[in-house]
Amino acid sequence: ISDFEKECLTLAAVRRLRASPSSVALRKRWSLPVYFQLRFQEIAGSVESVLGEPLGADAAAAASPHALAHAPAVLPALRRTWAADVILAPLHHRFWKLTLQILARYS
């Protein structure tokens, strides 16, 4: 929404955009907890699917330069957690908690 607002040339245009029926409907349907839950399932699910495997299950992991075999799955998950197209400022605390949970699960 902020990208659309940046396209407005005046403050009055921003107000009209925010008051438009489409914007109002979107804000009513948008739910930060639901958004986070979807991202949590996406990111944590990818980590859990790999961490649930035995350490020797992946031959490619054995050739990995990482000290631990599951690092190639954990590092992209951590990057995804903080990607600009995922993170939302009001949810920083939840994404930080997810980061800590991934690291705790990994250790």
Side-chain angles (χ1 to χ4, degrees), residues 25-68:
L26 177 63
R27 279 194 303 277
K28 284 182 181 177
R29 287 187 287 170
W30 184 259
S31 170
L32 288 175
V34 171
Y35 173 80
F36 177 76
Q37 189 61 36
L38 291 171
R39 293 302 188 169
F40 178 90
Q41 290 172 355
E42 168 196 343
I43 295 166
S46 69
V47 173
E48 279 301 315
S49 67
V50 173
L51 291 180
E53 297 174 3
L55 281 175
D58 187 1
S64 172
H66 300 289
L68 298 173

Side-chain angles (χ1 to χ4, degrees), residues 1 11-12 15-16 18-19 28 34 41 43 47 50 52 63 74-76 80-81 83 87-88 95 103:
I1 293 176
L11 187 56
R15 288 184 185 135
R16 281 193 308 272
R18 289 179 181 171
K28 284 182 181 177
V34 171
Q41 290 172 355
I43 295 166
V47 173
V50 173
V74 172
L75 294 176
R80 182 76 179 137
T81 300
I87 192 76
L88 297 174
F95 282 103
L103 293 173

Side-chain angles (χ1 to χ4, degrees), residues 1-10 13-14 17:
I1 293 176
S2 61
D3 289 342
F4 289 117
E5 290 179 353
K6 289 177 187 174
E7 297 297 321
C8 296
L9 300 176
T10 65
V14 172
L17 175 65

